[in-house]
Amino acid sequence: MSGEAKLAPSLDELVRTKRILVCCGAGGVGKTTTATALAIAAARAGRRVLALTVDPSKRLSDTLGVAQNLEAPAPPPADRLAAAGISAPGSLEAWMLDPKLIADRLVRRFSRGEAEAERLMQNRVYRQMTRMVAGMQEYTAMEALYGFVQEGRHDLVVLDTPPARNALDFLEGPGKITEFLEGRVFRLFLPDENAGLIARGAAQLVGKALGAALGDDNYRELQSFFAAFAEVFRRGGANAQAMRKALSDPEVTSFVLVTAPTSVAISDVLYFRERAEEMRLPFGGFVLNRSQAREDARAMPDPSLLPEGASEVQRRAYAKLAAMAEVERAEVARDRALLADLSARAGDRGFALALPSLAGGADDIASLVLLASAVVES
Ligand SMILES: Nc1ncnc2c1ncn2[C@@H]1O[C@H](COP(=O)(O)OP(=O)(O)OP(=O)(O)O)[C@@H](O)[C@H]1O
Ligand SMILES: [Mg+2]
C-alpha cells in the first residue's frame, strides 16, 4: 500500500456501486435532468434502477412516458427503454410524486364546491394540515425510498429533490412531522380519551367552533383524518431512524450536488456542501451542469479562411463571427475555471464533473442518454 490518500470515486463509479444517490442543488440547475441521466447511466450499465422524484416535472413524465402520482413505480414503455439503450439485466422504473397536488386534492375532497374549498384553504387548521400533508409526502417518499432499498428489487434508487426550497430540509421532514404531531393545535384535534379535563374542554370548544365553521360532517372527517395519520407517523418513527442511518452511510449513499455555471448557483451549491457536512451526509461530488468546460473540439473562425481580396461584406461577416467566437471562448474559459475551483474544493473527498449544455435542451431520451454517456466517460 502506498501512503497516498485514497482518491474519491468518480461519478461513474458511484453510479455503478451505490444503493442510493441523492441529487441536490438550487432551483432550475438541472437536478431532475441529472438524476434521470444518472438513473439511465446505471440502468445502461446493467443495474436495476428506480428514479424517485418528489418534484414531478410534466416534461420528465412526457419524456419517460410514465404518468405522475401513480400508486407505485412503473417502467417507461419498451420503445423508450430501447431508445435509452436499457436492456436486461439493467432496468429502469420511475416514480414521480407531486406533494402539493396531493395535498390540494385532499383539501378539495373535504369541501363541497370551489367556494368552500377556497374558504377552507384559508383556514389556519387546514393550512397546517396541508403543510403536514406536504411534509407527509416527503416523508412518504423517504419511507418508500427506504422500503425500496430494503426490499432489494432495485440495485440503485436515485432520488431527485424538490425545487425552490432547501433540498436538504426534506431529510428533516420526519422530525418536523413529529414536532407537528406533538404541537398544541394538532393535539386539540385528536379524540384523546386520556386527555385531562381542561384539554378535553378546550378540544370540545375548538370542536364546536370548527364544527360550526366546517360543518359537523367535515369536522368529523377531518378529525378522523388527523387521527389516522397520527397513527401512521407514530408507527413510522422507527423507520425514520433507520432511513436517516442509511442516508448517512457512505457505503450506501452519496449526495450529488448539482450546480449551473452561474455565481449564484455556485454559492448555493457550496452552502449545500456545508449543510450536508453538518448533517453528516456523505458527499459524492459536484456536477457542473450546462457547462462549456469540455467544449475543446469546437470549430473557431480562422482569419486565413478569409479569401484574398475579400469584399467588405465578407470582412464584416468574418468580424461578427470572430466576435461571437470570442464570447464562446470566454465562456469555455470561465467554465473551466469554475470546474477547476469545484475540483479543488472537492479535494480528494469527491468528484467534480462537467455536463455539457445541450443546445436543444435536455427534454428527450436522446439528450438524457448523451448526458448519461458523459457521466460514464468521467
Ligand atoms: N445539460 C443540459 N443541457 C441543456 N438543457 C438542460 C440541461 N440540463 C437541464 N436542462 C434543461 O433545463 C431545464 C431545467 O432542468 P431541470 O428540470 O432538470 O432542473 P431542476 O434543477 O430539476 O429544476 P427545479 O429546481 O425546478 O426542480 C429543463 O428544461 C432541462 O431540459
Ligand atoms: Mg427538478
Side-chain angles (χ1 to χ4, degrees), residues 116-337:
E116 191 176 279
E118 283 310 313
R119 212 179 60 229
L120 286 182
M121 282 187 213
Q122 300 307 317
N123 181 286
R124 217 178 108 220
V125 177
Y126 254 110
R127 284 219 299 272
Q128 286 263 30
M129 187 193 88
T130 326
R131 213 177 307 146
M132 183 180 88
V133 174
M136 193 182 83
Q137 280 304 309
E138 287 164 1
Y139 179 92
T140 309
M142 289 274 286
E143 201 173 46
L145 171 82
Y146 184 69
F148 291 129
V149 172
Q150 288 290 89
E151 191 185 79
R153 210 160 55 77
H154 301 94
D155 303 314
L156 168 68
V157 182
V158 184
L159 179 68
D160 171 36
T161 55
R165 48 182 298 186
N166 189 333
L168 296 178
D169 277 354
F170 84 105
L171 295 173
E172 290 163 354
K176 285 206 179 115
I177 284 173
T178 313
E179 239 168 68
F180 179 72
L181 289 177
E182 284 161 8
R184 284 209 337 253
V185 174
F186 187 83
R187 284 216 316 264
L188 282 178
F189 250 95
L190 290 179
D192 186 352
E193 304 304 319
N194 306 319
L197 208 57
I198 295 176
R200 208 174 316 161
Q204 268 167 12
L205 260 180
V206 171
K208 252 194 203 150
L210 281 169
L214 307 176
D216 277 337
D217 287 351
N218 275 338
Y219 173 64
R220 265 194 295 279
E221 223 182 310
L222 185 59
Q223 203 177 30
S224 50
F225 167 87
F226 273 122
F229 281 109
E231 200 36 47
V232 169
F233 289 124
R234 274 190 199 117
R235 271 184 278 132
N239 272 358
Q241 283 288 334
M243 265 187 302
R244 191 72 179 68
K245 201 162 159 247
L247 283 169
S248 314
D249 182 352
E251 293 296 315
V252 176
T253 303
S254 254
F255 280 73
V256 174
L257 305 187
V258 184
T259 181
T262 65
S263 49
V264 176
I266 298 267
S267 57
D268 278 352
V269 89
L270 296 178
Y271 169 73
F272 274 126
R273 164 101 189 263
E274 263 174 41
R275 282 285 316 270
E277 215 127 87
E278 273 164 28
M279 293 170 78
R280 299 185 185 283
L281 300 170
F283 169 69
F286 296 114
V287 167
L288 181 62
N289 187 35
R290 306 195 82 149
S291 115
Q292 324 266 351
R294 293 166 130 194
E295 301 287 331
D296 34 29
R298 195 173 273 187
M300 288 292 174
D302 174 347
S304 70
L305 290 174
L306 211 56
E308 194 106 348
S311 69
E312 180 57 23
V313 173
Q314 282 175 317
R315 266 200 297 274
R316 264 196 263 151
Y318 175 81
K320 265 192 191 154
L321 264 181
M324 276 159 58
E326 208 31 66
V327 172
E328 278 191 5
R329 242 185 236 125
E331 276 177 5
V332 172
R334 175 202 66 185
D335 288 1
R336 286 196 180 141

